[in-house]
């Protein structure tokens, strides 16, 4: 039997988890995307690797117990199954620049349905083009219109979104159609060019120019966790200070990417 729990990710800096510069991707480092909504994800293996690494520094034996023992050359049956399993993290709310706000959190029914299933949110998923009750917009003829960089977006309904934000604090937000979220997501991504300078002179080293994209600061994500119950009665406690910690995800932390606050619920 598995105990269901879940984790929440709030990005405190741009988050890049995806390809690195190389022959496969040229000099553009793309993030991993969901195949249907085309929005950013963090693979479960990346989350597992970070959690495992954090525990390994404190107690290697405890790490092998919870995350499984790797195979040992020449020893049969040396591997063990992980007692903690992670699925990928998907976006719940994505912050998008909007003139005059200046930030509006955007989501779509498909992403909110997954969040509802994982976190047990009560109530029906908001319809497309429903805005939060605190969303500012131009009102004319009984309609509220929001101005994005890509154009105007008409709000058809207004609803209290308090229960749809993990911390219970409603932000200015709008739910768009599943077919629109991919375009808005690409508009909101953090993009930057990076170079490495030659050690001897101030010019770019050969092959050391690359562009990278990342989920912006303030993105809210969710991922399911499954805990297999054992007779030993041990408790999985990945963070020393409780159920919340600030960790780095992804491989670009040395240049200021990947700083996140992770909160666990249901463990």
């Amino acid at each position: 039997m598995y105990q269901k729990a879940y984790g929440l990710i709030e990005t405190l800096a741009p988050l890049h988890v995806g390809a690195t510069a190389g022959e496969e991707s040229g000099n553009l480092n793309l993030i991993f995307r969901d195949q249907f909504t085309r929005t950013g994800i963090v693979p479960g293996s990346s989350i597992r690797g970070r959690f495992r690494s954090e525990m390994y520094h404190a107690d290697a034996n405890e790490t092998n117990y919870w995350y499984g023992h790797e195979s040992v050359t020449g020893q049969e049956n040396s591997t063990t199954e992980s007692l903690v399993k992670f699925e990928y993290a998907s976006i719940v709310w994505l912050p998008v620049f909007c003139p005059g706000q200046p930030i509006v959190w955007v989501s779509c029914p498909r992403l909110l349905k997954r969040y509802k299933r994982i976190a047990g949110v009560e109530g029906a998923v908001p319809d497309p083009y429903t805005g939060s009750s605190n969303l500012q917009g131009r009102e004319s003829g009984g309609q509220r219109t929001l101005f994005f960089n890509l154009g105007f977006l008409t709000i058809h309904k207004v609803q209290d979104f308090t229960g749809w934000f993990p911390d219970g604090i409603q932000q200015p937000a709008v739910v768009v159609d599943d077919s629109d979220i991919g375009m808005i997501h690409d508009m909101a991504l953090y993009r930057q060019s990076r170079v490495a300078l030659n050690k001897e002179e101030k010019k770019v080293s050969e092959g050391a120019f690359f562009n990278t994209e990342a989920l912006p600061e303030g993105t809210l994500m969710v991922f399911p966790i499954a805990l297999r119950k054992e007779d030993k009665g041990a408790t999985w406690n990945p963070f020393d200070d409780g159920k919340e910690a600030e960790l780095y995800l992804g491989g670009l932390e040395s240049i200021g990417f990947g700083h996140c606050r992770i909160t666990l619920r249901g463990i």
Side-chain angles (χ1 to χ4, degrees):
M1 294 291 293
Y2 284 92
Q3 174 188 347
K4 292 182 178 179
Y6 66 97
L8 298 162
I9 299 174
E10 178 189 1
T11 60
L12 303 178
L15 170 62
H16 170 90
V17 179
T20 57
E23 294 180 356
E24 300 84 2
S25 60
N27 69 343
L28 178 60
N29 295 354
L30 302 171
I31 60 170
F32 290 133
R33 284 172 164 79
D34 174 85
Q35 60 181 321
F36 299 117
T37 62
R38 307 306 296 160
T39 55
I41 64 167
V42 179
S45 57
S46 297
I47 301 171
R48 179 184 183 277
R50 173 53 66 191
F51 274 65
R52 192 181 194 282
S53 176
E54 291 296 319
M55 185 176 285
Y56 184 81
H57 293 294
D59 190 333
N61 291 327
E62 186 80 352
T63 305
N64 289 333
Y65 174 74
W66 288 108
Y67 300 102
H69 197 290
E70 61 186 4
S71 62
V72 179
T73 304
Q75 293 185 18
E76 295 184 357
N77 302 321
S78 58
T79 59
T80 59
E81 182 185 356
S82 172
L83 302 184
V84 187
K85 303 180 189 301
F86 301 89
E87 291 183 28
Y88 72 93
S90 60
I91 291 174
V92 182
W93 292 104
L94 179 74
V96 179
F97 171 73
C98 185
Q101 303 277 340
I103 300 173
V104 170
W105 273 260
V106 180
S107 190
C108 70
R110 186 177 182 87
L111 295 176
L112 292 181
K113 283 178 185 175
R114 186 170 191 263
Y115 176 56
K116 175 184 171 71
R117 174 174 58 83
I118 296 170
V121 179
E122 296 182 353
V125 174
D127 294 329
Y129 307 109
T130 300
S132 63
S133 54
N134 60 349
L135 180 67
Q136 299 179 30
R138 187 185 66 180
E139 295 197 32
S140 176
Q143 280 195 327
R144 185 177 300 185
T145 303
L146 194 66
F147 176 61
F148 273 134
N149 280 353
L150 58 85
F152 293 97
L153 190 152
T154 302
I155 307 299
H156 295 165
K157 292 194 299 184
V158 175
Q159 181 178 328
D160 186 348
F161 283 168
T162 302
W164 291 97
F165 279 87
D167 59 1
I169 301 175
Q170 179 178 233
Q171 303 292 344
V174 63
V175 176
V176 301
D177 192 78
D178 291 341
S179 60
D180 291 336
I181 188 68
M183 179 176 58
I184 296 175
H185 169 271
D186 276 6
M187 182 184 71
L189 288 180
Y190 178 94
R191 292 189 173 88
Q192 196 171 62
S193 297
R194 294 275 182 165
V195 298
L197 298 181
N198 191 298
K199 294 182 179 179
E200 304 299 330
E201 51 188 334
K202 290 185 178 179
K203 69 176 186 179
V204 179
S205 300
E206 184 176 354
F209 171 82
F210 64 95
N211 299 299
T212 189
E213 65 179 21
L215 292 169
E217 175 184 336
T219 303
L220 303 176
M221 311 183 79
V222 66
F223 60 95
I225 302 170
L227 289 168
R228 199 177 76 183
K229 295 182 178 179
E230 291 291 288
D231 296 335
K232 294 171 61 175
T235 302
W236 180 57
N237 185 23
F239 306 143
D240 293 335
D241 299 330
K243 298 179 181 179
E244 182 178 299
E246 292 186 10
L247 303 176
Y248 278 86
L249 295 173
L252 297 179
E253 59 186 274
S254 63
I255 56 173
F257 283 57
H259 187 195
C260 299
R261 179 184 292 115
I262 298 180
T263 304
L264 302 178
R265 294 184 180 176
I267 64 172

